[in-house]
Amino acid sequence: MSRSRTPVAQILERLVGPRSELSITAYDGSSSGPAGAKVGIEVRSPLALSYLLSSPGDLGVARAYVAGHLDVSGDLYTALHALAAQADQVTAADKVWLLRELGPQHLRRVEPPVEELPSRFRRGLHGLRHSKSRDSSAISRHYDVSNRFYELVLGPSMAYTCAVFPTADATLEEAQKNKFDLVCRKLDLKPGMRLLDVGCGWGGMVEHAAEHYGVQALGVTLSREQAQWAQKDIVAKGLADKAEVRHLDYRDIKETGFDAVSSIGLTEHIGARNLPSYFSFLASKVKVHGRLLNHCVTNPNTRVPHRSRGFIDRYVFPDGELEASGEIVSAMQDNGFEVRHLENLREHYAETLAGWCANLDANWDEAIAEAGAGRGRVWALYMAACRLAFERREIELTQVLGVKVGAEGDAGMPLRPDWGV
């Protein structure tokens, strides 16, 4: 006679540990945790368990959640926060025990959701990593989802990078405007200057610099939908004589002699081995005394692998790579720039993501009607998980300011920072 199986909810509770803010319900009718818990995890079908047991790393949870076989009632961030500490402690022995309790039938491979990209190896069959064609495909995969979807998530600023909150009670829109203004001040922009913004997104930096600092601004992006949206918005705001956004790989920019370059959220897509050529290329585009402001997500130390893996690589930023701030600084120093200032804005990105999560929650029905339930779940999970990662210092956000010095070492910089900090 076979032994009776332990209820699924009790099995999972033993694995993750009891949490006062978390309840678990399962398809077999079992439940655990307090009735008044802030959030609840619902295991809707045996397929959720098959995903968990047959997938490496965080892919199991991601696949089950994106496919709808695992759901969360209440705030997703709160659920991840409750599980984060215990998830770090799950051992191989725990997984063996889980398999024994649930049964070997859950080891069967289940097809991943349609939103998942193939592995890096299979992607490599269609082009080298960070080649122009593969970068174009990766960027399109993430950014050409739907401009309306991004409007709902990002808000009126259409800024998809870390905001800078001037005060703790500032709104997301105020913080995004403050971010663009901080970059302009660090670059010491003046009327009549020429600005190059690489990886310009929907043109927020280009528009801000042209409108408020009187510069001639050129932005480039690999996303066709971003470029079309940005050009239309530039015309609508009456900035067409000062600002332009092109659908273009930064490596194909022909113009030179810019007074400043902003790179806000592009380095994550470049690749560690390409940083020297990237910064060397940007140095070739600016005049002597021209400044570069590089704003990007970074690893907390140089021991963390560069390449993204698991959920982030398969669902969010294919081929993405992060470097530590010291690696960014070294690459800039070795390839045409003197580094003059570094600022870590890690906590600001956690707050930015909290704002995006709130926007997605408030506009959920319209967002999934626009991009699909699976895509909506991908973004909800990715943004909540990244918010937690910034809070726990698993990743950081760093701004590095560099300048192209003259032949005699003249930098054209003030003795102290001149951007009001």
Side-chain angles (χ1 to χ4, degrees):
M1 180 181 296
S2 62
R3 68 181 181 87
S4 60
R5 295 287 183 191
T6 305
V8 170
Q10 277 69 47
I11 293 174
L12 295 179
E13 182 185 51
R14 177 173 164 183
L15 185 67
V16 303
R19 292 287 183 271
S20 61
E21 66 269 66
L22 184 68
S23 65
I24 301 173
T25 58
Y27 59 88
D28 64 350
S30 62
S31 62
S32 67
K38 294 179 181 178
V39 292
I41 293 178
E42 181 184 358
V43 184
R44 289 182 165 179
S45 82
L47 288 177
L49 301 177
S50 295
Y51 276 128
L52 292 174
L53 287 172
S54 65
S55 307
D58 59 6
L59 272 177
V61 172
R63 287 167 171 167
Y65 179 74
V66 172
H69 297 293
L70 184 73
D71 204 3
V72 173
S73 60
D75 182 54
L76 182 57
Y77 163 79
T78 302
L80 294 176
H81 190 276
L83 295 171
Q86 185 62 28
D88 293 340
Q89 306 302 317
V90 174
T91 66
D94 292 326
K95 294 179 180 180
V96 171
W97 172 83
L98 182 64
L99 177 61
R100 186 171 64 246
E101 289 295 317
L102 293 174
Q105 71 273 17
H106 292 295
L107 272 180
R108 62 186 174 124
R109 186 182 182 279
V110 185
E111 284 298 314
V114 296
E115 291 78 11
E116 182 172 318
L117 275 176
S119 67
R120 285 194 181 219
F121 173 77
R122 289 178 59 193
R123 274 177 264 158
L125 300 176
H126 302 284
L128 294 175
R129 183 163 44 91
H130 299 305
S131 64
K132 288 182 180 180
S133 61
R134 185 158 156 181
D135 277 353
S136 178
S137 175
I139 293 298
S140 179
R141 172 79 181 190
H142 185 86
Y143 295 99
D144 290 342
V145 172
S146 156
N147 284 331
R148 179 56 185 159
F149 176 81
Y150 278 110
E151 289 173 353
L152 296 168
V153 174
L154 304 180
S157 71
M158 286 297 278
Y160 195 26
T161 49
C162 175
V164 179
F165 289 78
T167 61
D169 60 351
T171 66
L172 178 59
E173 289 304 305
E174 291 169 340
Q176 289 292 12
K177 181 178 179 180
N178 185 56
K179 182 265 302 293
F180 289 134
D181 208 68
L182 177 62
V183 173
C184 289
R185 297 197 309 271
K186 285 184 175 181
L187 291 174
D188 194 31
L189 297 183
K190 299 288 194 302
M193 283 185 169
R194 295 173 63 224
L195 169 70
L196 173 62
D197 185 36
V198 289
C200 67
W202 288 270
M205 175 64 191
V206 166
E207 291 181 343
H208 188 92
E211 180 179 359
H212 298 284
Y213 287 83
V215 304
Q216 294 293 132
L218 169 63
V220 297
T221 172
L222 271 177
S223 167
R224 187 179 300 278
E225 289 201 18
Q226 283 182 337
Q228 291 173 346
W229 190 100
Q231 255 328 104
K232 183 178 179 180
D233 198 56
I234 285 169
V235 172
K237 291 178 177 176
L239 297 171
D241 61 327
K242 295 181 180 179
E244 178 188 0
V245 167
R246 299 177 190 167
H247 175 226
L248 188 71
D249 191 299
Y250 79 90
R251 289 164 285 197
D252 293 327
I253 297 168
K254 302 301 182 185
E255 294 93 333
T256 189
F258 291 94
D259 296 282
V261 177
S262 51
S263 172
I264 306 175
L266 178 58
T267 318
E268 298 91 331
H269 302 288
I270 296 298
R273 69 181 181 183
N274 296 324
L275 287 182
S277 60
Y278 177 63
F279 289 120
S280 179
F281 179 84
L282 296 183
S284 75
K285 295 299 175 181
V286 294
K287 299 175 180 177
V288 171
H289 299 171
R291 300 184 190 182
L292 163 69
L293 191 285
N294 193 79
H295 167 124
C296 69
V297 181
T298 50
N299 283 328
N301 58 65
T302 58
R303 297 183 297 276
V304 178
H306 292 141
R307 298 185 190 182
S308 60
R309 289 176 171 80
F311 168 64
I312 290 293
D313 182 60
R314 296 288 190 94
Y315 286 89
V316 186
F317 291 112
D319 294 340
E321 295 186 40
L322 302 182
E323 300 80 32
S325 57
E327 293 174 289
I328 299 291
V329 167
S330 295
M332 288 176 63
Q333 287 176 324
D334 293 345
N335 295 281
F337 293 98
E338 179 183 41
V339 171
R340 303 296 299 229
H341 188 267
L342 183 149
E343 185 172 7
N344 189 329
L345 298 167
R346 174 171 64 85
E347 293 87 353
H348 291 261
Y349 216 157
E351 289 300 317
T352 303
L353 285 154
W356 293 342
C357 288
N359 286 344
L360 180 57
D361 285 344
N363 298 294
W364 180 257
D365 290 342
E366 187 178 353
I368 63 173
E370 183 68 30
R375 186 65 59 190
R377 283 173 170 265
V378 167
W379 256 247
L381 181 58
Y382 131 66
M383 293 192 301
C386 284
R387 176 187 173 186
L388 187 61
F390 280 107
E391 290 176 347
R392 287 161 57 93
R393 198 185 166 242
E394 294 170 1
I395 45 178
E396 300 175 347
L397 189 287
T398 308
Q399 284 191 351
V400 182
L401 178 67
V403 64
K404 183 176 179 178
V405 302
E408 301 298 320
D410 50 308
M413 296 284 294
L415 292 177
R416 295 292 298 151
D418 57 346
W419 48 87
V421 295

Short mmCIF file of all heavy atoms in Angstrom, two decimals, residues 348-385:
data_model
loop_
_atom_site.label_atom_id
_atom_site.label_comp_id
_atom_site.label_asym_id
_atom_site.label_seq_id
_atom_site.Cartn_x
_atom_site.Cartn_y
_atom_site.Cartn_z
N HIS A 348 17.39 54.96 -5.18
CA HIS A 348 16.49 55.68 -6.08
C HIS A 348 15.85 54.73 -7.10
O HIS A 348 14.70 54.93 -7.50
CB HIS A 348 17.25 56.79 -6.81
CG HIS A 348 17.68 57.91 -5.92
ND1 HIS A 348 16.99 59.10 -5.83
CD2 HIS A 348 18.74 58.01 -5.07
CE1 HIS A 348 17.60 59.89 -4.96
NE2 HIS A 348 18.66 59.26 -4.50
N TYR A 349 16.61 53.70 -7.51
CA TYR A 349 16.01 52.78 -8.48
C TYR A 349 14.94 51.91 -7.81
O TYR A 349 13.94 51.55 -8.43
CB TYR A 349 17.07 51.91 -9.15
CG TYR A 349 16.75 51.64 -10.62
CD1 TYR A 349 17.75 51.30 -11.52
CD2 TYR A 349 15.45 51.71 -11.11
CE1 TYR A 349 17.47 51.08 -12.86
CE2 TYR A 349 15.16 51.47 -12.44
CZ TYR A 349 16.17 51.16 -13.31
OH TYR A 349 15.88 50.93 -14.64
N ALA A 350 15.14 51.56 -6.55
CA ALA A 350 14.11 50.81 -5.84
C ALA A 350 12.81 51.62 -5.78
O ALA A 350 11.71 51.09 -6.01
CB ALA A 350 14.58 50.47 -4.44
N GLU A 351 12.93 52.93 -5.51
CA GLU A 351 11.76 53.79 -5.48
C GLU A 351 11.14 53.95 -6.86
O GLU A 351 9.91 53.99 -7.00
CB GLU A 351 12.14 55.16 -4.91
CG GLU A 351 12.44 55.16 -3.43
CD GLU A 351 11.25 54.70 -2.59
OE1 GLU A 351 10.12 55.14 -2.88
OE2 GLU A 351 11.46 53.89 -1.66
N THR A 352 11.96 54.04 -7.87
CA THR A 352 11.46 54.14 -9.25
C THR A 352 10.64 52.91 -9.61
O THR A 352 9.53 53.01 -10.16
CB THR A 352 12.64 54.28 -10.24
OG1 THR A 352 13.42 55.42 -9.89
CG2 THR A 352 12.13 54.42 -11.67
N LEU A 353 11.16 51.74 -9.29
CA LEU A 353 10.46 50.49 -9.59
C LEU A 353 9.16 50.38 -8.81
O LEU A 353 8.16 49.85 -9.32
CB LEU A 353 11.37 49.30 -9.31
CG LEU A 353 12.47 49.10 -10.36
CD1 LEU A 353 13.67 48.38 -9.78
CD2 LEU A 353 11.92 48.33 -11.56
N ALA A 354 9.15 50.87 -7.58
CA ALA A 354 7.91 50.87 -6.81
C ALA A 354 6.84 51.70 -7.53
O ALA A 354 5.66 51.31 -7.57
CB ALA A 354 8.16 51.44 -5.40
N GLY A 355 7.25 52.83 -8.12
CA GLY A 355 6.31 53.65 -8.88
C GLY A 355 5.80 52.94 -10.12
O GLY A 355 4.61 53.01 -10.44
N TRP A 356 6.69 52.26 -10.84
CA TRP A 356 6.26 51.53 -12.04
C TRP A 356 5.32 50.39 -11.68
O TRP A 356 4.34 50.14 -12.38
CB TRP A 356 7.48 50.99 -12.78
CG TRP A 356 8.35 52.04 -13.39
CD1 TRP A 356 8.02 53.34 -13.65
CD2 TRP A 356 9.70 51.87 -13.82
NE1 TRP A 356 9.09 54.00 -14.22
CE2 TRP A 356 10.13 53.13 -14.34
CE3 TRP A 356 10.60 50.81 -13.83
CZ2 TRP A 356 11.42 53.33 -14.85
CZ3 TRP A 356 11.87 51.00 -14.35
CH2 TRP A 356 12.28 52.24 -14.85
N CYS A 357 5.62 49.68 -10.59
CA CYS A 357 4.74 48.59 -10.14
C CYS A 357 3.35 49.13 -9.81
O CYS A 357 2.33 48.51 -10.15
CB CYS A 357 5.34 47.89 -8.92
SG CYS A 357 6.78 46.87 -9.26
N ALA A 358 3.31 50.27 -9.14
CA ALA A 358 2.02 50.87 -8.78
C ALA A 358 1.26 51.26 -10.05
O ALA A 358 0.03 51.08 -10.13
CB ALA A 358 2.24 52.10 -7.89
N ASN A 359 1.96 51.80 -11.05
CA ASN A 359 1.30 52.15 -12.31
C ASN A 359 0.72 50.93 -13.00
O ASN A 359 -0.41 50.96 -13.51
CB ASN A 359 2.30 52.84 -13.25
CG ASN A 359 2.62 54.26 -12.84
OD1 ASN A 359 1.92 54.86 -12.04
ND2 ASN A 359 3.70 54.79 -13.38
N LEU A 360 1.50 49.84 -13.03
CA LEU A 360 1.01 48.62 -13.67
C LEU A 360 -0.21 48.06 -12.93
O LEU A 360 -1.19 47.65 -13.56
CB LEU A 360 2.12 47.57 -13.73
CG LEU A 360 1.75 46.23 -14.39
CD1 LEU A 360 1.23 46.42 -15.82
CD2 LEU A 360 2.94 45.28 -14.39
N ASP A 361 -0.16 48.07 -11.61
CA ASP A 361 -1.30 47.59 -10.84
C ASP A 361 -2.55 48.43 -11.13
O ASP A 361 -3.65 47.89 -11.31
CB ASP A 361 -0.99 47.65 -9.34
CG ASP A 361 -0.04 46.55 -8.89
OD1 ASP A 361 0.13 45.57 -9.64
OD2 ASP A 361 0.53 46.68 -7.79
N ALA A 362 -2.37 49.75 -11.16
CA ALA A 362 -3.52 50.64 -11.37
C ALA A 362 -4.10 50.51 -12.76
O ALA A 362 -5.30 50.77 -12.97
CB ALA A 362 -3.09 52.08 -11.10
N ASN A 363 -3.28 50.11 -13.73
CA ASN A 363 -3.72 50.02 -15.13
C ASN A 363 -3.72 48.59 -15.65
O ASN A 363 -3.59 48.38 -16.86
CB ASN A 363 -2.81 50.90 -16.01
CG ASN A 363 -2.87 52.36 -15.63
OD1 ASN A 363 -3.89 53.02 -15.79
ND2 ASN A 363 -1.76 52.88 -15.11
N TRP A 364 -3.84 47.61 -14.74
CA TRP A 364 -3.64 46.22 -15.10
C TRP A 364 -4.53 45.76 -16.26
O TRP A 364 -4.06 45.15 -17.22
CB TRP A 364 -3.85 45.32 -13.88
CG TRP A 364 -3.66 43.87 -14.18
CD1 TRP A 364 -4.61 42.92 -14.35
CD2 TRP A 364 -2.40 43.20 -14.39
NE1 TRP A 364 -4.05 41.69 -14.62
CE2 TRP A 364 -2.69 41.84 -14.66
CE3 TRP A 364 -1.08 43.61 -14.36
CZ2 TRP A 364 -1.69 40.89 -14.89
CZ3 TRP A 364 -0.08 42.67 -14.60
CH2 TRP A 364 -0.39 41.33 -14.85
N ASP A 365 -5.82 46.03 -16.17
CA ASP A 365 -6.74 45.52 -17.19
C ASP A 365 -6.39 46.05 -18.58
O ASP A 365 -6.38 45.31 -19.56
CB ASP A 365 -8.19 45.89 -16.83
CG ASP A 365 -8.70 45.11 -15.63
OD1 ASP A 365 -8.08 44.08 -15.29
OD2 ASP A 365 -9.70 45.55 -15.02
N GLU A 366 -6.11 47.35 -18.67
CA GLU A 366 -5.76 47.93 -19.97
C GLU A 366 -4.39 47.43 -20.44
O GLU A 366 -4.19 47.19 -21.64
CB GLU A 366 -5.76 49.45 -19.90
CG GLU A 366 -5.55 50.10 -21.27
CD GLU A 366 -5.60 51.61 -21.24
OE1 GLU A 366 -5.93 52.19 -20.19
OE2 GLU A 366 -5.30 52.22 -22.29
N ALA A 367 -3.47 47.24 -19.50
CA ALA A 367 -2.12 46.79 -19.86
C ALA A 367 -2.15 45.39 -20.47
O ALA A 367 -1.50 45.14 -21.49
CB ALA A 367 -1.21 46.82 -18.64
N ILE A 368 -2.91 44.47 -19.87
CA ILE A 368 -2.93 43.12 -20.40
C ILE A 368 -3.79 43.04 -21.67
O ILE A 368 -3.55 42.19 -22.53
CB ILE A 368 -3.39 42.08 -19.36
CG1 ILE A 368 -4.82 42.32 -18.91
CG2 ILE A 368 -2.43 42.06 -18.19
CD1 ILE A 368 -5.36 41.22 -18.02
N ALA A 369 -4.76 43.93 -21.79
CA ALA A 369 -5.51 43.99 -23.05
C ALA A 369 -4.59 44.44 -24.18
O ALA A 369 -4.74 44.01 -25.33
CB ALA A 369 -6.69 44.95 -22.91
N GLU A 370 -3.60 45.28 -23.85
CA GLU A 370 -2.67 45.80 -24.85
C GLU A 370 -1.57 44.81 -25.19
O GLU A 370 -1.21 44.64 -26.35
CB GLU A 370 -2.06 47.10 -24.32
CG GLU A 370 -1.12 47.80 -25.27
CD GLU A 370 -1.82 48.37 -26.50
OE1 GLU A 370 -3.01 48.74 -26.39
OE2 GLU A 370 -1.18 48.44 -27.56
N ALA A 371 -0.99 44.16 -24.17
CA ALA A 371 0.21 43.33 -24.39
C ALA A 371 0.02 41.86 -24.06
O ALA A 371 0.92 41.07 -24.30
CB ALA A 371 1.37 43.90 -23.56
N GLY A 372 -1.11 41.47 -23.48
CA GLY A 372 -1.35 40.08 -23.12
C GLY A 372 -1.08 39.81 -21.66
O GLY A 372 -0.21 40.45 -21.03
N ALA A 373 -1.78 38.83 -21.10
CA ALA A 373 -1.64 38.51 -19.68
C ALA A 373 -0.24 38.01 -19.35
O ALA A 373 0.33 38.35 -18.31
CB ALA A 373 -2.69 37.48 -19.27
N GLY A 374 0.32 37.18 -20.23
CA GLY A 374 1.65 36.65 -19.98
C GLY A 374 2.69 37.74 -19.91
O GLY A 374 3.54 37.77 -19.01
N ARG A 375 2.63 38.69 -20.85
CA ARG A 375 3.58 39.79 -20.86
C ARG A 375 3.39 40.67 -19.63
O ARG A 375 4.36 41.13 -19.01
CB ARG A 375 3.40 40.61 -22.13
CG ARG A 375 4.43 41.72 -22.33
CD ARG A 375 5.82 41.17 -22.51
NE ARG A 375 5.92 40.29 -23.65
CZ ARG A 375 6.98 39.53 -23.92
NH1 ARG A 375 8.03 39.57 -23.12
NH2 ARG A 375 7.01 38.74 -24.97
N GLY A 376 2.14 40.89 -19.25
CA GLY A 376 1.89 41.67 -18.04
C GLY A 376 2.47 41.01 -16.81
O GLY A 376 3.05 41.68 -15.94
N ARG A 377 2.36 39.70 -16.72
CA ARG A 377 2.92 38.96 -15.59
C ARG A 377 4.45 39.02 -15.60
O ARG A 377 5.08 39.10 -14.54
CB ARG A 377 2.44 37.51 -15.61
CG ARG A 377 1.00 37.33 -15.14
CD ARG A 377 0.51 35.90 -15.35
NE ARG A 377 -0.77 35.68 -14.70
CZ ARG A 377 -0.94 35.17 -13.49
NH1 ARG A 377 0.13 34.80 -12.79
NH2 ARG A 377 -2.13 35.01 -12.98
N VAL A 378 5.05 38.95 -16.79
CA VAL A 378 6.51 39.07 -16.88
C VAL A 378 6.96 40.40 -16.28
O VAL A 378 7.87 40.46 -15.45
CB VAL A 378 6.98 38.96 -18.34
CG1 VAL A 378 8.44 39.39 -18.47
CG2 VAL A 378 6.83 37.52 -18.84
N TRP A 379 6.32 41.48 -16.70
CA TRP A 379 6.74 42.81 -16.23
C TRP A 379 6.47 42.99 -14.73
O TRP A 379 7.26 43.59 -14.02
CB TRP A 379 6.04 43.89 -17.05
CG TRP A 379 6.96 44.52 -18.05
CD1 TRP A 379 7.42 45.79 -18.07
CD2 TRP A 379 7.56 43.88 -19.19
NE1 TRP A 379 8.26 46.00 -19.14
CE2 TRP A 379 8.36 44.85 -19.85
CE3 TRP A 379 7.49 42.60 -19.73
CZ2 TRP A 379 9.09 44.56 -20.99
CZ3 TRP A 379 8.21 42.32 -20.88
CH2 TRP A 379 8.99 43.29 -21.49
N ALA A 380 5.34 42.47 -14.26
CA ALA A 380 5.03 42.58 -12.83
C ALA A 380 6.10 41.86 -12.00
O ALA A 380 6.60 42.40 -11.00
CB ALA A 380 3.65 41.99 -12.55
N LEU A 381 6.46 40.65 -12.42
CA LEU A 381 7.45 39.87 -11.68
C LEU A 381 8.83 40.51 -11.75
O LEU A 381 9.54 40.64 -10.76
CB LEU A 381 7.49 38.44 -12.23
CG LEU A 381 8.46 37.47 -11.55
CD1 LEU A 381 8.16 37.34 -10.07
CD2 LEU A 381 8.40 36.09 -12.24
N TYR A 382 9.22 40.92 -12.96
CA TYR A 382 10.55 41.50 -13.15
C TYR A 382 10.72 42.79 -12.36
O TYR A 382 11.75 43.01 -11.69
CB TYR A 382 10.81 41.67 -14.65
CG TYR A 382 11.32 42.99 -15.12
CD1 TYR A 382 12.58 43.46 -14.78
CD2 TYR A 382 10.54 43.79 -15.96
CE1 TYR A 382 13.04 44.69 -15.24
CE2 TYR A 382 11.00 45.00 -16.43
CZ TYR A 382 12.24 45.45 -16.07
OH TYR A 382 12.69 46.65 -16.52
N MET A 383 9.72 43.66 -12.37
CA MET A 383 9.86 44.94 -11.67
C MET A 383 9.84 44.76 -10.15
O MET A 383 10.61 45.41 -9.43
CB MET A 383 8.77 45.91 -12.13
CG MET A 383 8.94 46.34 -13.58
SD MET A 383 7.89 47.73 -14.10
CE MET A 383 6.25 47.08 -13.78
N ALA A 384 8.98 43.89 -9.66
CA ALA A 384 8.95 43.65 -8.22
C ALA A 384 10.25 43.00 -7.75
O ALA A 384 10.80 43.35 -6.69
CB ALA A 384 7.75 42.77 -7.86
N ALA A 385 10.76 42.04 -8.53
CA ALA A 385 11.99 41.35 -8.16
C ALA A 385 13.18 42.31 -8.20
O ALA A 385 14.07 42.26 -7.34
CB ALA A 385 12.23 40.16 -9.08
#
